[in-house]
Amino acid sequence: MIPPAALSSPFVAVRLPASLLAARPLSWSAPPPTSPPRRRWKRTSPAILAVLQPSRRVAVAATPFLPPPRTRGASPPKLLPRSAQRRGLRFVCFCDGGEKDSTSDWPIFERWDVPWKWQTVALTMIACGLSFVLIGLAEASVLPYLGLQDQALSLNEKAELLFAGQFAVTAVVLGVIYGITNSFQPLPDDVFCYDLREPLSLRNGWLLWACIGFVGALIAIALTGASAAIFSGESPQRETDALVKLLPLIGSSSVSTAFLVGITGVLAPLLEETVFRGFLMVSLTKWFPTPVSVLIAAAVFALAHLTPGEFPQLFVLGTVLGFSYAQTRNLLTPITIHALWNSGVIVLLTFLRLQGYDIRELVQGSS
């Protein structure tokens, strides 16, 4: 019991029993130190070739290690089995023990890594078609207000007007494509690629494969035309073909010929190859194999010309353009083939007209 006098003191003395004071104090010992966790080698760490012995470790060589780039379908790098690590000499080795990727030598079968979905593809193609139609309607409605009548224009003025219209269509449609796809930046390196480097590379040289594709297109289209003539017995008329409408301008003067070459050899290939190969075909590889995407894009390319009689030849040309682009992943390849084809026709017809031939009869007679 605490006496009453102790309650007024700030210190209170408590008397403990003697049995508790005689008890043995508790002892405390620190836990044994734990060893740090064993460090594991990572792929990004330097690969150290070391000889491990029971008493010492001798570092033989140290070289920085960068893992090889992974390609589609390639097996991951393999380490040595544990049985090999239990031997006297242990070493760290990162090597690709898998088989060589069979598609690495055939880029023509590889797909593109497209970031957008099918809604973007459909919206972009519809926007391109509407842009083409609206520009044509605007041109037809604006020209009368400017006092430009088709009957009163000279051949050079008609060629200049056609060039201006094609330039407007090319600029607007390409602006639509790049405006829609710009929201997916950064794009892969092989999407919308116009690379002038290494034109003669055997693997992806754009100029080399453009020449190969152009020769292949000549042979394939000639065989297609001959086969169509044999099986059908007669060739369809080409009155609706754009080439027939351009015949009065071909060879009429150097100015009109230059404008026609600019339309058919520069603007039209740039526009059509960017739309049908650079965007549509590349987008289709997200859902279809690359060869199937090439054929689908070639069919759409042929139908877009609105010349049913020329569908087989245009389909073959589109197929050659698609496979050449799949080989090089460079849009300069199909653009060059397309430009050589279109401008070659204009230059050849101009030469024949200057020699006194009736090019209208030649074109319609060969169709």
Side-chain angles (χ1 to χ4, degrees):
M1 181 175 179
I2 302 175
L7 296 176
S8 60
S9 175
F11 302 98
V12 178
V14 180
R15 185 175 182 180
L16 298 177
S19 60
L20 184 60
L21 294 176
R24 183 179 181 181
L26 298 176
S27 61
W28 178 85
S29 60
T34 58
S35 59
R38 185 178 180 181
R39 183 179 179 183
R40 297 183 179 180
W41 294 103
K42 299 182 179 180
R43 296 181 184 273
T44 56
S45 61
I48 302 177
L49 181 63
V51 180
L52 302 181
Q53 296 182 359
S55 59
R56 61 179 180 175
R57 176 184 299 177
V58 181
V60 177
T63 57
F65 171 76
L66 294 177
R70 292 287 303 278
T71 57
R72 188 183 300 274
S75 58
K78 298 181 180 180
L79 299 178
L80 292 179
R82 293 184 179 274
S83 59
Q85 298 179 3
R86 297 193 187 99
R87 300 177 182 176
L89 297 179
R90 299 181 182 180
F91 56 90
V92 179
C93 177
F94 295 94
C95 57
D96 191 357
E99 297 180 357
K100 186 178 180 180
D101 187 8
S102 59
T103 62
S104 60
D105 295 334
W106 296 94
I108 197 171
F109 295 110
E110 295 181 2
R111 299 186 180 186
W112 277 263
D113 186 13
V114 181
W116 47 77
K117 299 181 180 180
W118 67 269
Q119 294 90 341
T120 304
V121 179
L123 175 63
T124 304
M125 295 304 296
I126 293 174
C128 291
L130 289 178
S131 301
F132 180 81
V133 174
L134 292 177
I135 291 176
L137 294 176
E139 181 181 356
S141 60
V142 169
L143 290 181
Y145 289 99
L146 298 178
L148 300 176
Q149 300 295 332
D150 187 63
Q151 295 79 7
L153 296 177
S154 63
L155 294 179
N156 291 341
E157 292 174 344
K158 290 181 179 179
E160 184 179 356
L161 190 61
L162 288 175
F163 181 85
Q166 183 64 42
F167 182 83
V169 171
T170 303
V172 171
V173 173
L174 293 183
V176 168
I177 291 179
Y178 290 119
I180 295 177
T181 58
N182 188 52
S183 59
F184 298 93
Q185 294 286 350
L187 296 175
D189 295 337
D190 55 354
V191 176
F192 299 131
C193 176
Y194 307 88
D195 192 358
L196 291 171
R197 296 173 298 179
E198 299 182 358
L200 300 178
S201 174
L202 183 60
R203 179 180 177 85
N204 55 1
W206 62 272
L207 184 58
L208 175 63
W209 284 98
C211 296
I212 296 175
F214 180 70
V215 175
L218 287 175
I219 298 174
I221 292 175
L223 294 177
T224 303
S227 302
I230 292 174
F231 289 104
S232 63
E234 58 180 3
S235 301
Q237 296 295 325
R238 299 180 58 177
E239 290 297 336
T240 58
D241 193 353
L243 180 60
V244 177
K245 299 178 181 179
L246 296 178
L247 289 179
L249 304 177
I250 296 176
S252 60
S253 66
S254 58
V255 176
S256 62
T257 303
F259 278 119
L260 290 180
V261 171
I263 294 172
T264 60
V266 179
L267 296 179
L270 177 62
L271 171 63
E272 295 177 5
E273 296 310 312
T274 303
V275 173
F276 295 106
R277 250 66 61 180
F279 178 76
L280 179 60
M281 190 190 86
V282 168
S283 301
L284 290 175
T285 58
K286 187 172 185 177
W287 302 280
F288 302 99
T290 301
V292 178
S293 303
V294 169
L295 298 179
I296 296 175
V300 177
F301 167 76
L303 292 173
H305 284 76
L306 302 178
T307 53
E310 295 296 314
F311 179 84
Q313 290 85 349
L314 291 173
F315 177 77
V316 172
L317 177 61
T319 302
V320 174
L321 293 171
F323 279 115
S324 64
Y325 176 46
Q327 173 65 32
T328 61
R329 305 300 171 107
N330 192 345
L331 277 173
L332 291 180
T333 304
I335 288 175
T336 304
I337 298 174
H338 202 155
L340 290 175
W341 181 267
N342 288 353
S343 59
V345 171
I346 299 298
V347 172
L348 178 61
L349 292 178
T350 301
F351 174 77
L352 293 177
R353 183 170 184 174
L354 294 178
Q355 297 299 319
Y357 291 93
D358 186 0
I359 57 176
R360 178 179 291 273
E361 182 180 355
L362 291 175
V363 171
Q364 295 181 351
S366 62
S367 60

